[in-house]
Amino acid sequence: MTAELLKRVRDFTARELAGKDEHFDGLPEQPTVEAARLHGLGLANWWVPRQYGGLGLSLEESVDVVSELSYGDAGFAFGAFLPVLGGIMLQHFGDEALARPALEALVAGGGRIAVLGSEEEAGSELVRIATTFRTEGDRLVLSGDKYFSTNTDSAGLLLVLARSAEDAADFAVVAVPRDTPGVEIVKRWDLLGVRGAGTYRVRLEDCAVPAANRLGGSGLRILEAGLNASRILIAACAVGIARRIRDLAMEYAAGKRLRGAPLTENAVFAGKLGQTETLIDVMRNQCRAAAAEFDHLLAAAASGGTGLHRVGTLRSALAAKLFCGQAGWEVASTGSELFGGLGYTRDHPIGKLVRDMRYVAVVEGGEDIMRDLVYARYVVPARKRR
Amino acid sequence: MTAELLKRVRDFTARELAGKDEHFDGLPEQPTVEAARLHGLGLANWWVPRQYGGLGLSLEESVDVVSELSYGDAGFAFGAFLPVLGGIMLQHFGDEALARPALEALVAGGGRIAVLGSEEEAGSELVRIATTFRTEGDRLVLSGDKYFSTNTDSAGLLLVLARSAEDAADFAVVAVPRDTPGVEIVKRWDLLGVRGAGTYRVRLEDCAVPAANRLGGSGLRILEAGLNASRILIAACAVGIARRIRDLAMEYAAGKRLRGAPLTENAVFAGKLGQTETLIDVMRNQCRAAAAEFDHLLAAAASGGTGLHRVGTLRSALAAKLFCGQAGWEVASTGSELFGGLGYTRDHPIGKLVRDMRYVAVVEGGEDIMRDLVYARYVVPARKRR
Amino acid sequence: MTAELLKRVRDFTARELAGKDEHFDGLPEQPTVEAARLHGLGLANWWVPRQYGGLGLSLEESVDVVSELSYGDAGFAFGAFLPVLGGIMLQHFGDEALARPALEALVAGGGRIAVLGSEEEAGSELVRIATTFRTEGDRLVLSGDKYFSTNTDSAGLLLVLARSAEDAADFAVVAVPRDTPGVEIVKRWDLLGVRGAGTYRVRLEDCAVPAANRLGGSGLRILEAGLNASRILIAACAVGIARRIRDLAMEYAAGKRLRGAPLTENAVFAGKLGQTETLIDVMRNQCRAAAAEFDHLLAAAASGGTGLHRVGTLRSALAAKLFCGQAGWEVASTGSELFGGLGYTRDHPIGKLVRDMRYVAVVEGGEDIMRDLVYARYVVPARKRR
Amino acid sequence: MTAELLKRVRDFTARELAGKDEHFDGLPEQPTVEAARLHGLGLANWWVPRQYGGLGLSLEESVDVVSELSYGDAGFAFGAFLPVLGGIMLQHFGDEALARPALEALVAGGGRIAVLGSEEEAGSELVRIATTFRTEGDRLVLSGDKYFSTNTDSAGLLLVLARSAEDAADFAVVAVPRDTPGVEIVKRWDLLGVRGAGTYRVRLEDCAVPAANRLGGSGLRILEAGLNASRILIAACAVGIARRIRDLAMEYAAGKRLRGAPLTENAVFAGKLGQTETLIDVMRNQCRAAAAEFDHLLAAAASGGTGLHRVGTLRSALAAKLFCGQAGWEVASTGSELFGGLGYTRDHPIGKLVRDMRYVAVVEGGEDIMRDLVYARYVVPARKRR
């Protein structure tokens, strides 16, 4: 990425996101004014490949973009980068006739693609989902309830994970235009954090789309491949939030005295900030390394490689999300004590930052799921995997 | 304590507090209806000694009372037990003519005593406070700004820590009736948690009271002695909140399946709950041991001993607050991940419980202050203490 | 306990154990000279009830005794207190004719009773042990291999957990005199820590004893009851080791300067020691509370109650061992960094203390087993327990 | 690095280091037979630049080499890679006439360069060292005591940090041939871990060398620059040790059953291994990122840049050492409990691995020092740095 582009993102953050904690924490209407401004600057959906008219930033570059945006507001960042998940699925597993207009629309309109995977009963076990698709002539008809899905209301296109009504072992990802009859937003979730994004419960009732809207291959594998990108960028949010906490701490300490000396000179404070800065460095490097690995796979896939299907979930991506969830929580826990009594009030943003940080560990698979996946895929010898 | 009294508290919790998370989290008006009901049952200010008409429960017994109340709502519990801090200060350091009516009023009316110590600039270093008292004839006149003070608005009596305008080394605790001219509630804090209690910023402007309203001895020592009681009961709140999280987890797990088996049979879940239950046991035993030690000192003081002045802050009380803040946060952090996506929404109480739990570590001295006090008073050899 | 007795133990520690780290770390011959001296002072097996001629110290008092002894050497302490496990089993589940001479011998000779439970294959699952007993006339004949057993070589009496060769569901604890033909010490373990004690691998080959040597009731339940005592005292060792680390740290810091000031005045050092002292206080209170609870049960059992069988493993005892293993390890981990480069050499005792501390978490059930037991017995609703 | 080179290192580890835990843990004579074999394969000092006849592997590549070697034995790895510290100092700050023969000798003979920095009194504060150099004609004469120095006895060249006897503010690094009269090995340290390396206490008594043996620039800055390399590779040792622990755990679990199922299928075990593998991934990526950054600086310096002096200690290198010390200790602590009772004996290598792992956190600056450096250099705003 030209450093110049990153600077533009940083300027946008300073100008449009900074100081609006209350606004973003208040479940702002979607799409937000700020999202429109990001688009106005030509920065929305920065990752869309150049062949579709996008800026074509790599996932590794996106790590820094997301770190900047989430420095401003993690919820805003979440909503802004999450289309990458559907975008990768479309580009690599959808027909060009399906993918091209969708990706070009993201560039032209700054819009969103949503992915609908999780369900209430199935929880994290997607193999147990109950949403079905059935074939009726040249159309696929989908029905089911989806639990958590971000950007859905304002998205143009929804990518829905469903299983065949005829063959329970056949999972598909199907592209469903948002305005398809039968798509119903049941509610917007009142989340604890990342409230700058919109996350919804959605019902699909006999939603009919052309059969060509099914992406190629197993739906579970497609989603798994795409989740590498979103998990890495979720992890990158922890970097941004942690940087914000660090800067707030230094700002606070500059004006605070302890035992007759500035707090900035206190050894315990120094140790906490040294640890925080260290974790920021490690989190960032893990996100970048995972993103670089995924970029490499995407490049290979774009030139005809089949690695993307085969590799499934990357160890480095799982490690990024798990580790940043943990290290981020360490930073947030330390931060939640740094600001004295004031830090326990809503007059200070730290409470919001702690709630925002929690999402890194919880969204798209909790810590236990990450550990299980790493173990099952990368520790158990291949011949013994079940 | 007769087990029967504790059972009444438990019944009160089940009947009057349970299921009202949203109510208590909404900064309910003070005093709350529920506080009135606790008084109606004769249970308010359960710790007031029998000689003042109270139930005379010991601090050790109070640990279990507070664990029960905070199982219902930690903010309610905080508001309900905090008068013990002022009560002990009054009883042990105030004239009988000052203490008796105040303590009898607590029993008769179920009211509150508030303590005003912390200030914005001084933070945790009370030796740096700026609130002053000056002598005018047979009256003391107080002026200053107090930062965090709980129950102040609805209290009958305020105990104010101030320093002499004439002699900066002379600290006093002065009893100021709430309706004294010049007492002004600046604002109610919009706290992150324990929002069932009322915590205020208060200004004192030339508040004049009889000179006899000064408690005997150094104000810093008086406050330090009293804080033993409130810190132990703050710690006890962690026990109640942790018990609630445990029960919510078991309730959730009973209806949740993972890999074809009830979640209650999952080994990782079992390990988390086993750890939680262990920490509950350890937290409770630490609170009880600290409370028993303080009860012993109070009894000795009541029979003329001077130990209370000399001993200052108890190691066991500091350890209770520090440890329960840490162990409670471990339980809350685990809990905040236990409930899947739902646990990251306001449809589930865990978010509130995490915010409530944080207060244990933050209020009446953060973790660093507890560690410093333990070190300075109990690790450094007596001859080398500064 | 008369404070005087505890003082005698402290004096013994200062005189006979202090400064002998290398000696105790060198797998000293068993029984050690120091054990003989403890007996010479009348302090060995301090817990033997008065009716058998012992000092009759309670388990709660034993917590402090063990804290003192393990301040000197945890391995020595382990060997010295472990007979309490067999002693309680004998007293409460054995015939008086079996128990009395054994307990009186402990007082008279300062000897040991060993318990042989664990096996290589079964690991922590005692229900899977393979050692058997078979009935031959009025004798029981035992055969099997026992993995870890402390004090065995120098003990007078061995209590062996075995299952009936005829009925796999019938577990027994059988008293086997050490000199019974067929008892063979296979090896002394070269343990990582607590090397002042002797721990052995033992083979039993057709060891015949009178049928009356079987203790009454299920062997698994008997052992479970007794383990409450030994687990609590293992936990108490963490208190002693942690106190030693604290004192070594203060000694080191007194002679060390950092940035021109004594290390004792450094805020980070102060924080570490404050945390250590806090954990010492919490560990001690948990051990005492668990011990007091078990003392209460033992007293009830001695007056004819049957609680001991029924209650099995106490939550507080499990919590003591699990928590002290964790908190002790936190103290040891901190300690292993406190002494700079010197602390990474054998010229300083901290390396030994870290190894000794590890045993608290490992012996008589690791952390996962403690958590599982707490969960299965105390968290799962009684009606759902398997 | 050609994968082939790395494979040769891995083969060497499997053939020459594996299974020799006891040998390396026994303070083997230096240089070891195995070091000679590594040299025989042409792999010793793999990092020496090609212009001096070396393999010229980058520091980033060295991370993987060290991970492999320390999988075999961390002490061996430490001794093998540590010459990089002196090598970089010589190459970048020494005259070509000084550097070339020394570096060529490393390649030709497989020997070592040692660095002598730390002293007993000064501890980690090198600015307080007492070793001096004085000018006598065209010679420098050094005197002083050095505390911890690795490879010194068998090294050909020693790089000594000393301060001018005339100007206390003038620090120098001076190259002293090992056979210079006055160089005396006082003792070999009996370290807790990494005992496969030789670490010494050394006295310098009037050691005279040519004045040209002084490296150019401030000695403190030279050492600081070089420490980037050694700290990163010390951190990389944690990766190798952690990988070894993981593999031992899987080997153990394959033959162990718990509750009737293989341990490899237990969810708690899976979680621990998943966490371990995650930390391995994160540690490795941090080491690689830091190494790549330092490689970049070295390349710039080699082409005439002056960055190396200016940049001093890299944030990423500090973060690598601090983080790998912490994450490695988490892995080691988990590992020390994974192997049941056997894991608490010397019959299993885990005890050695735990001791070896500790060195990552302790050597070349403990955790507090890393945090302080990160804070002072990278968190405090430049204008406020002292």
Side-chain angles (χ1 to χ4, degrees):
Chain A
M1 175 170 46
T2 57
E4 182 268 339
L5 250 176
L6 190 58
K7 188 185 172 315
R8 284 171 56 199
V9 175
R10 197 176 298 127
D11 290 346
F12 169 81
T13 297
R15 204 169 48 244
E16 302 291 348
L17 307 182
K20 295 193 184 161
D21 291 309
E22 222 166 312
H23 162 65
F24 287 114
D25 207 26
L27 293 179
E29 203 178 332
Q30 300 291 318
T32 58
V33 178
E34 292 79 11
R37 289 189 187 142
L38 187 67
H39 176 60
L41 293 168
L43 295 170
N45 297 309
W46 59 84
W47 48 270
V48 176
R50 289 172 186 275
Q51 68 258 39
Y52 302 111
L55 294 171
L57 265 58
S58 68
L59 195 62
E60 190 177 2
E61 292 166 323
S62 299
V63 165
D64 289 329
V65 171
V66 168
S67 168
E68 288 300 335
L69 293 178
S70 58
Y71 184 94
D73 183 71
F76 178 84
F78 184 36
F81 75 70
L82 197 53
V84 74
L85 168 57
I88 283 175
M89 289 159 69
L90 271 178
Q91 189 195 348
H92 289 275
F93 302 99
D95 285 345
E96 177 77 359
L98 187 67
R100 176 165 292 277
L103 291 164
E104 287 179 349
L106 291 187
V107 175
R112 304 279 166 89
I113 301 174
V115 175
L116 289 76
S118 78
E119 300 185 6
E120 183 171 13
E121 278 298 303
S124 60
E125 296 179 273
L126 293 179
V127 74
R128 288 175 52 215
I129 59 164
T131 296
T132 58
F133 67 91
R134 62 180 192 276
T135 310
E136 294 195 355
D138 60 349
R139 305 186 78 72
L140 298 176
V141 183
L142 290 89
S143 291
D145 286 283
K146 291 296 186 178
Y147 210 37
F148 288 99
S149 172
T150 295
N151 284 335
T152 325
D153 195 16
S154 61
L157 196 65
L158 318 183
L159 297 186
V160 181
L161 180 70
R163 71 196 316 160
S164 166
E166 290 93 27
D167 173 7
D170 181 20
F171 289 84
V173 169
V174 182
V176 177
R178 168 69 180 87
D179 55 6
T180 304
V183 173
E184 182 201 351
I185 302 292
V186 178
K187 68 183 273 192
R188 179 176 177 178
W189 286 101
D190 196 4
L191 294 183
L192 296 186
V194 290
R195 295 161 62 85
T199 299
Y200 305 89
R201 186 164 188 168
V202 183
R203 184 169 301 134
L204 303 167
E205 210 170 324
D206 293 327
C207 299
V209 299
N213 278 23
R214 175 176 178 165
L215 275 55
S218 157
L220 292 174
R221 300 295 291 196
I222 293 171
L223 187 56
E224 189 169 281
L227 283 169
N228 287 310
S230 49
R231 283 177 176 154
I232 291 167
L233 296 184
I234 288 169
C237 283
V239 179
I241 303 170
R243 289 170 50 226
R244 176 95 188 278
I245 292 175
R246 174 201 63 197
D247 289 354
L248 286 169
M250 289 304 288
E251 199 179 292
Y252 170 79
K256 175 83 185 165
R257 296 183 72 81
L258 186 64
R259 295 189 189 161
L263 183 56
T264 49
E265 293 176 15
N266 177 270
V268 170
F269 178 82
K272 288 179 181 176
L273 271 284
Q275 177 76 17
T276 295
E277 184 72 15
T278 294
L279 292 177
I280 289 170
D281 201 66
V282 177
M283 289 194 284
R284 183 165 35 208
N285 281 323
Q286 179 65 19
C287 290
R288 284 179 180 165
E293 188 182 354
F294 195 57
D295 281 332
H296 191 76
L297 275 169
L298 289 180
S303 22
T306 58
L308 210 51
H309 262 109
R310 260 207 329 278
V311 79
T313 187
L314 291 180
R315 176 173 58 186
S316 56
L318 296 169
K321 203 186 100 65
L322 174 56
F323 175 72
C324 292
Q326 295 174 334
W329 191 241
E330 182 183 331
V331 170
S333 296
T334 300
S336 71
E337 272 206 308
L338 268 176
F339 304 97
L342 188 68
Y344 197 60
T345 72
R346 295 199 185 170
D347 293 6
H348 193 281
I350 184 66
K352 170 184 179 289
L353 296 175
V354 171
R355 289 183 283 109
D356 282 353
M357 187 67 96
R358 204 70 192 113
Y359 115 101
V360 179
V362 170
V363 168
E364 292 193 358
E367 295 196 359
D368 293 326
I369 296 166
M370 294 300 106
R371 277 187 284 258
D372 268 2
L373 281 169
V374 170
Y375 177 73
R377 304 290 174 88
Y378 293 100
V379 182
V380 174
R383 65 181 189 287
K384 295 200 178 174
R385 279 177 207 149
R386 290 179 302 169
Chain B
M1 172 173 43
T2 58
E4 181 268 339
L5 250 176
L6 190 59
K7 190 187 169 314
R8 283 172 57 199
V9 175
R10 196 176 298 126
D11 290 346
F12 169 81
T13 297
R15 205 171 46 244
E16 302 290 350
L17 306 182
K20 295 192 184 162
D21 291 310
E22 224 167 311
H23 162 65
F24 288 113
D25 206 27
L27 294 179
E29 204 178 331
Q30 300 291 319
T32 58
V33 178
E34 292 78 12
R37 290 190 185 140
L38 188 68
H39 176 59
L41 292 168
L43 295 170
N45 297 311
W46 60 84
W47 48 270
V48 176
R50 288 171 187 276
Q51 67 258 41
Y52 302 112
L55 293 172
L57 264 59
S58 68
L59 195 61
E60 189 178 2
E61 293 166 322
S62 299
V63 165
D64 289 328
V65 171
V66 168
S67 169
E68 290 299 335
L69 292 178
S70 59
Y71 184 94
D73 183 71
F76 178 85
F78 184 37
F81 75 70
L82 197 53
V84 75
L85 168 56
I88 284 175
M89 290 159 66
L90 271 177
Q91 188 195 347
H92 290 275
F93 302 99
D95 286 345
E96 178 76 359
L98 187 68
R100 176 166 292 278
L103 290 163
E104 287 179 348
L106 290 187
V107 175
R112 306 279 166 88
I113 300 175
V115 176
L116 289 77
S118 77
E119 299 186 5
E120 184 171 13
E121 277 299 304
S124 59
E125 295 179 273
L126 294 180
V127 75
R128 290 176 50 218
I129 59 164
T131 295
T132 58
F133 67 91
R134 61 178 192 278
T135 310
E136 295 196 353
D138 61 350
R139 307 186 76 73
L140 299 176
V141 183
L142 291 89
S143 292
D145 286 283
K146 291 296 186 177
Y147 210 37
F148 289 98
S149 173
T150 295
N151 283 335
T152 326
D153 195 15
S154 60
L157 197 66
L158 318 183
L159 297 186
V160 180
L161 180 70
R163 72 195 316 159
S164 164
E166 291 93 29
D167 173 6
D170 180 20
F171 289 83
V173 170
V174 183
V176 178
R178 167 70 180 90
D179 55 6
T180 306
V183 173
E184 180 201 349
I185 303 291
V186 178
K187 68 183 273 191
R188 179 174 179 180
W189 286 101
D190 195 4
L191 295 183
L192 296 185
V194 291
R195 296 160 61 84
T199 299
Y200 305 89
R201 185 164 190 168
V202 182
R203 183 169 303 133
L204 304 167
E205 210 169 326
D206 293 326
C207 300
V209 298
N213 279 23
R214 175 175 179 165
L215 276 54
S218 157
L220 291 175
R221 299 295 292 197
I222 293 170
L223 187 55
E224 189 169 282
L227 283 169
N228 287 309
S230 49
R231 283 177 177 153
I232 291 167
L233 296 184
I234 289 169
C237 283
V239 180
I241 303 171
R243 289 170 52 226
R244 175 94 189 280
I245 292 174
R246 173 201 64 196
D247 289 354
L248 285 169
M250 289 304 287
E251 198 179 293
Y252 170 78
K256 175 82 186 168
R257 298 182 73 80
L258 186 64
R259 293 186 192 163
L263 183 56
T264 49
E265 294 177 13
N266 177 271
V268 170
F269 178 82
K272 288 179 181 174
L273 271 283
Q275 177 76 18
T276 295
E277 184 73 15
T278 294
L279 293 177
I280 290 170
D281 201 67
V282 178
M283 289 193 286
R284 182 166 37 207
N285 282 323
Q286 178 65 20
C287 290
R288 284 179 180 166
E293 188 181 353
F294 194 57
D295 280 333
H296 190 76
L297 275 169
L298 289 181
S303 22
T306 57
L308 210 51
H309 262 109
R310 261 208 329 279
V311 78
T313 187
L314 291 180
R315 176 174 57 185
S316 57
L318 296 169
K321 203 186 101 66
L322 175 56
F323 175 72
C324 291
Q326 295 175 334
W329 191 242
E330 181 183 331
V331 170
S333 296
T334 300
S336 72
E337 272 207 307
L338 268 177
F339 305 98
L342 187 69
Y344 197 61
T345 72
R346 296 200 183 169
D347 294 5
H348 193 281
I350 183 66
K352 170 185 179 289
L353 297 174
V354 171
R355 289 184 283 109
D356 283 353
M357 187 68 96
R358 205 70 193 114
Y359 115 100
V360 179
V362 170
V363 168
E364 291 192 1
E367 297 197 358
D368 293 325
I369 296 165
M370 294 300 106
R371 276 187 285 258
D372 268 1
L373 281 169
V374 170
Y375 177 73
R377 304 289 174 88
Y378 294 101
V379 183
V380 175
R383 67 183 187 284
K384 295 201 176 172
R385 278 179 209 148
R386 290 180 301 168
Chain C
M1 173 171 46
T2 58
E4 182 268 339
L5 251 175
L6 191 58
K7 189 187 171 317
R8 283 171 58 200
V9 175
R10 196 176 298 126
D11 290 347
F12 169 82
T13 297
R15 204 169 49 245
E16 302 291 350
L17 306 182
K20 294 191 184 162
D21 291 309
E22 222 167 312
H23 162 63
F24 287 114
D25 207 26
L27 294 179
E29 204 177 331
Q30 300 293 317
T32 58
V33 179
E34 291 79 11
R37 289 188 186 142
L38 187 67
H39 176 59
L41 293 168
L43 294 171
N45 298 311
W46 60 83
W47 49 270
V48 176
R50 289 171 185 274
Q51 68 258 41
Y52 302 110
L55 294 172
L57 264 60
S58 68
L59 195 63
E60 190 178 0
E61 293 167 321
S62 300
V63 165
D64 288 329
V65 171
V66 168
S67 168
E68 289 299 335
L69 293 177
S70 57
Y71 184 94
D73 183 71
F76 178 83
F78 184 36
F81 75 70
L82 197 53
V84 75
L85 169 56
I88 283 175
M89 289 160 67
L90 270 178
Q91 189 196 346
H92 290 275
F93 302 99
D95 285 345
E96 177 76 0
L98 187 67
R100 176 166 291 278
L103 291 164
E104 288 179 348
L106 290 186
V107 175
R112 304 280 166 88
I113 300 174
V115 175
L116 289 76
S118 78
E119 300 186 5
E120 184 172 13
E121 279 297 304
S124 60
E125 296 178 274
L126 293 179
V127 75
R128 288 176 51 214
I129 59 164
T131 295
T132 58
F133 67 92
R134 62 179 191 276
T135 311
E136 294 195 355
D138 60 350
R139 304 186 79 72
L140 298 176
V141 183
L142 290 89
S143 291
D145 286 283
K146 291 297 187 177
Y147 210 38
F148 289 98
S149 173
T150 294
N151 284 335
T152 326
D153 196 16
S154 61
L157 196 67
L158 318 183
L159 297 187
V160 180
L161 180 70
R163 72 196 315 159
S164 165
E166 291 93 28
D167 173 6
D170 180 20
F171 289 84
V173 169
V174 183
V176 177
R178 168 70 181 88
D179 56 6
T180 304
V183 173
E184 182 201 350
I185 302 291
V186 177
K187 68 183 275 191
R188 178 175 178 179
W189 286 103
D190 196 4
L191 294 184
L192 296 186
V194 289
R195 295 160 63 84
T199 299
Y200 305 90
R201 185 165 190 167
V202 183
R203 182 169 302 133
L204 303 168
E205 208 170 328
D206 293 326
C207 300
V209 298
N213 279 22
R214 175 176 178 165
L215 274 55
S218 157
L220 291 175
R221 300 295 292 194
I222 294 171
L223 187 55
E224 191 170 279
L227 283 170
N228 286 310
S230 49
R231 283 178 177 152
I232 291 167
L233 295 184
I234 289 169
C237 282
V239 180
I241 303 170
R243 289 170 50 226
R244 176 94 187 280
I245 292 174
R246 174 201 63 197
D247 288 354
L248 285 169
M250 289 304 287
E251 199 178 293
Y252 170 79
K256 175 83 186 168
R257 296 183 72 81
L258 186 64
R259 295 187 192 162
L263 183 56
T264 49
E265 294 177 15
N266 178 271
V268 170
F269 178 83
K272 288 180 181 176
L273 271 283
Q275 176 76 17
T276 294
E277 184 72 15
T278 294
L279 292 177
I280 289 170
D281 200 66
V282 178
M283 290 193 285
R284 183 165 35 208
N285 282 323
Q286 178 64 20
C287 290
R288 284 179 180 165
E293 188 182 353
F294 194 57
D295 281 334
H296 190 75
L297 274 170
L298 289 180
S303 22
T306 57
L308 211 52
H309 262 109
R310 261 207 328 278
V311 78
T313 187
L314 291 180
R315 177 174 58 186
S316 58
L318 295 170
K321 203 185 99 65
L322 175 57
F323 175 72
C324 291
Q326 295 174 336
W329 190 242
E330 182 183 331
V331 170
S333 296
T334 300
S336 71
E337 271 205 308
L338 268 176
F339 304 97
L342 188 69
Y344 197 62
T345 72
R346 296 200 183 170
D347 294 5
H348 193 282
I350 183 66
K352 169 186 179 288
L353 297 175
V354 171
R355 289 183 285 109
D356 282 353
M357 187 68 96
R358 205 71 193 112
Y359 115 100
V360 178
V362 170
V363 168
E364 291 193 358
E367 296 197 359
D368 294 324
I369 295 166
M370 294 300 107
R371 277 187 283 257
D372 268 1
L373 281 169
V374 171
Y375 177 74
R377 304 290 174 87
Y378 294 100
V379 183
V380 174
R383 66 180 189 287
K384 295 201 177 172
R385 278 177 208 150
R386 289 179 303 168
Chain D
M1 173 172 45
T2 58
E4 182 268 339
L5 250 177
L6 189 58
K7 189 185 170 318
R8 283 172 57 199
V9 175
R10 196 176 299 128
D11 290 346
F12 169 81
T13 298
R15 205 169 49 243
E16 302 292 350
L17 306 182
K20 295 191 183 161
D21 291 309
E22 224 166 311
H23 163 64
F24 287 113
D25 207 27
L27 294 180
E29 203 177 332
Q30 299 292 319
T32 58
V33 179
E34 291 79 13
R37 289 190 188 140
L38 187 68
H39 176 59
L41 293 169
L43 295 171
N45 297 310
W46 58 84
W47 48 269
V48 176
R50 288 171 186 274
Q51 67 259 38
Y52 303 110
L55 294 172
L57 264 58
S58 67
L59 194 62
E60 189 177 2
E61 293 166 323
S62 299
V63 165
D64 289 328
V65 171
V66 168
S67 169
E68 289 300 334
L69 293 177
S70 59
Y71 184 94
D73 183 71
F76 178 84
F78 184 37
F81 76 70
L82 196 54
V84 76
L85 169 56
I88 283 175
M89 290 159 67
L90 271 178
Q91 189 195 348
H92 290 275
F93 302 98
D95 285 345
E96 178 76 0
L98 187 68
R100 175 166 292 277
L103 291 164
E104 287 179 349
L106 291 187
V107 176
R112 305 279 167 86
I113 301 173
V115 175
L116 290 77
S118 77
E119 299 185 5
E120 184 171 13
E121 278 299 304
S124 59
E125 296 179 272
L126 293 179
V127 75
R128 290 176 50 215
I129 59 164
T131 295
T132 58
F133 66 91
R134 61 180 192 275
T135 309
E136 296 195 353
D138 61 348
R139 305 186 77 73
L140 299 176
V141 183
L142 291 88
S143 291
D145 286 282
K146 291 297 185 177
Y147 209 38
F148 289 99
S149 173
T150 295
N151 283 333
T152 326
D153 195 16
S154 61
L157 196 66
L158 319 183
L159 298 186
V160 181
L161 180 70
R163 70 194 319 157
S164 165
E166 291 93 29
D167 173 6
D170 180 20
F171 289 84
V173 170
V174 183
V176 177
R178 167 72 180 87
D179 55 6
T180 304
V183 172
E184 182 201 349
I185 302 292
V186 177
K187 69 183 273 191
R188 179 174 178 180
W189 286 102
D190 196 3
L191 295 184
L192 296 185
V194 291
R195 296 160 62 84
T199 299
Y200 305 89
R201 185 165 189 166
V202 182
R203 182 169 303 132
L204 303 168
E205 209 170 327
D206 293 328
C207 299
V209 299
N213 278 23
R214 175 175 178 165
L215 275 54
S218 156
L220 291 175
R221 299 296 291 195
I222 293 171
L223 187 56
E224 188 170 282
L227 283 170
N228 287 310
S230 49
R231 283 177 177 154
I232 292 167
L233 296 184
I234 288 169
C237 283
V239 180
I241 302 170
R243 289 170 50 225
R244 176 93 189 280
I245 292 174
R246 173 201 64 196
D247 289 353
L248 286 169
M250 289 303 288
E251 198 179 292
Y252 170 78
K256 176 82 184 167
R257 297 182 72 80
L258 186 64
R259 295 188 190 161
L263 183 56
T264 49
E265 294 176 13
N266 177 270
V268 170
F269 178 82
K272 288 179 181 175
L273 271 282
Q275 176 76 17
T276 295
E277 184 73 16
T278 294
L279 292 177
I280 289 170
D281 201 66
V282 178
M283 290 193 285
R284 183 165 37 207
N285 282 323
Q286 178 65 20
C287 290
R288 284 179 181 165
E293 188 181 353
F294 194 57
D295 281 333
H296 191 76
L297 275 169
L298 289 180
S303 21
T306 57
L308 211 51
H309 261 109
R310 262 207 327 280
V311 78
T313 188
L314 291 180
R315 176 174 58 184
S316 57
L318 296 169
K321 203 185 101 64
L322 174 57
F323 175 73
C324 292
Q326 295 175 334
W329 190 243
E330 181 184 332
V331 170
S333 296
T334 300
S336 72
E337 271 207 310
L338 267 176
F339 304 99
L342 188 69
Y344 197 62
T345 72
R346 297 200 183 169
D347 293 6
H348 193 281
I350 184 66
K352 169 185 179 290
L353 297 175
V354 171
R355 289 183 283 108
D356 283 353
M357 187 68 95
R358 205 70 193 113
Y359 115 99
V360 178
V362 170
V363 168
E364 291 192 359
E367 297 196 359
D368 293 326
I369 296 166
M370 294 301 106
R371 277 187 283 259
D372 268 1
L373 281 169
V374 170
Y375 177 73
R377 305 289 174 87
Y378 293 101
V379 183
V380 174
R383 67 181 187 285
K384 295 200 177 173
R385 278 178 208 148
R386 292 179 302 168

